[in-house]
Amino acid sequence: MENTDRSGKIKCMARVVSQEALEEGIYSMWLYAKEIAGAAKPGQFISLYTKDPSRLLPRPISICQVDKGAGRLRIVYRTVGAGTEEFARYCPGDQVAVMGPLGNGFPLEGDGKRRAFLIGGGIGIPPMLELARVLKCEKQMVLGYRDQLFLNEEFEEYGPVAVATEDGSAGTQGNVLDAIRKQGLTADVIYACGPMPMLRALKAYALEQGMECWLSLEERMACGIGACLACVCQSRDIDSHSQVHNKRICKDGPVFAAQEVEL
């Protein structure tokens, strides 16, 4: 059963279609949620509610893939607490309360002749997969890991993939910018999601290179719809909701033009 709440977002009981462990502590889950899947765009997220009544707040998880025809969407997440550990125990046929799609996704307009960097770091890699599928231009994927690789082979369908690992176990030793520089990679626009130090470095790199840059910010969220102001970031402009220099990541983002936000 599906309904639309006061925020205009869809809330429903989604059915688990499949689940598998990709690496230790990293899981891939397909959910049947027809209305949410039909409205989802690359870069958006969903909020999942646990079955434990003592945990009132949902867990925000980025959308990794969408199959609109089958009414399904995929999430790839890391277990970091009791809520995500509960999700990791779900089996096909189980149900979970879900709200979404939430936030603003990546812009898909533009010159199809442009070359794009699609850059993901850690658990910021999954939302880049749907963007890689949908974005109509030449794409170069640059994926940064601590050590364990996941999803990298799935990106290869959409273009060349460069890998960076902190321990040097695969690809370039270092971070995503090390991979870009050491491999002499070039592009016209950056789309990225990952930890704040990576995004801060990419914003500076884009400014240095005169590149357009879109960043998806990761932050702890509570309501997921912009009401509680728990996930704000500093912004260049005054927010119309709070009348101060901030942006609500869950509502105004998570995707921002790099020049909009102070990192």
Side-chain angles (χ1 to χ4, degrees):
M1 181 176 179
E2 297 171 336
N3 62 75
T4 303
D5 73 357
R6 293 179 181 178
S7 70
K9 300 303 179 184
I10 302 162
K11 189 172 183 181
C12 69
M13 292 302 296
R15 173 171 51 85
V16 177
V17 177
S18 66
Q19 173 146 248
E20 63 175 321
L22 299 181
E23 291 292 343
E24 183 178 354
I26 298 175
Y27 292 83
S28 169
M29 182 193 296
W30 278 96
L31 296 167
Y32 178 78
K34 184 177 180 180
E35 294 298 323
I36 295 177
K41 299 175 182 178
Q44 291 185 301
F45 66 97
I46 58 175
S47 284
L48 281 72
Y49 294 79
T50 75
K51 301 182 189 302
D52 185 343
S54 69
R55 300 189 186 101
L56 300 178
L57 296 176
R59 273 56 179 173
I61 300 178
S62 297
I63 296 170
C64 174
Q65 280 183 282
V66 179
D67 183 345
K68 294 181 185 293
R72 306 183 307 161
L73 55 85
R74 181 190 187 190
I75 56 174
V76 172
Y77 62 97
R78 177 180 285 128
T79 52
V80 293
T84 47
E85 287 173 0
E86 176 189 314
F87 302 150
R89 295 192 294 270
Y90 288 175
C91 298
D94 287 345
Q95 293 194 324
V96 56
V98 177
M99 182 168 63
L102 300 171
N104 295 314
F106 288 101
L108 301 177
E109 313 82 29
D111 184 356
K113 296 180 181 180
R114 293 195 304 174
R115 300 165 301 157
F117 278 146
L118 273 60
I119 303 175
I123 209 63
I125 290 171
M128 307 309 293
L129 187 58
E130 180 66 7
L131 180 64
R133 184 184 73 83
V134 172
L135 192 62
K136 303 301 182 185
C137 68
E138 181 182 334
K139 297 174 282 277
Q140 167 71 63
M141 275 61 72
V142 187
L143 310 178
Y145 302 88
R146 181 173 299 164
D147 45 26
Q148 297 176 320
L149 301 189
F150 60 94
L151 295 180
N152 54 302
E153 293 181 354
E154 296 189 43
F155 279 92
E156 292 174 359
E157 178 181 350
Y158 308 110
V161 177
V163 166
T165 52
E166 291 182 11
D167 64 358
S169 57
T172 300
Q173 182 170 11
N175 57 40
V176 292
L177 273 177
D178 292 325
I180 289 171
R181 287 170 171 146
K182 290 178 182 179
Q183 296 186 38
L185 305 177
T186 59
D188 305 307
V189 57
I190 292 173
Y191 300 87
C193 182
M196 193 61 72
M198 184 192 90
L199 299 183
R200 189 178 297 116
L202 288 174
K203 177 180 177 179
Y205 174 79
L207 182 63
E208 169 192 309
Q209 299 294 319
M211 298 173 67
E212 182 181 337
C213 183
W214 296 89
L215 305 175
S216 179
L217 275 55
E218 296 180 332
E219 185 56 83
R220 294 184 64 87
M221 299 180 187
C223 72
I225 59 173
C228 69
L229 302 181
C231 62
V232 298
C233 65
Q234 285 190 310
S235 63
R236 181 185 62 182
D237 300 324
I238 294 177
D239 177 56
S240 60
H241 179 75
S242 60
Q243 299 301 311
V244 295
H245 285 276
N246 67 29
K247 293 283 187 182
R248 297 162 290 167
I249 293 175
C250 69
K251 179 73 172 180
D252 303 314
V255 178
F256 297 95
Q259 70 271 16
E260 287 184 56
V261 290
E262 301 295 336
L263 303 179

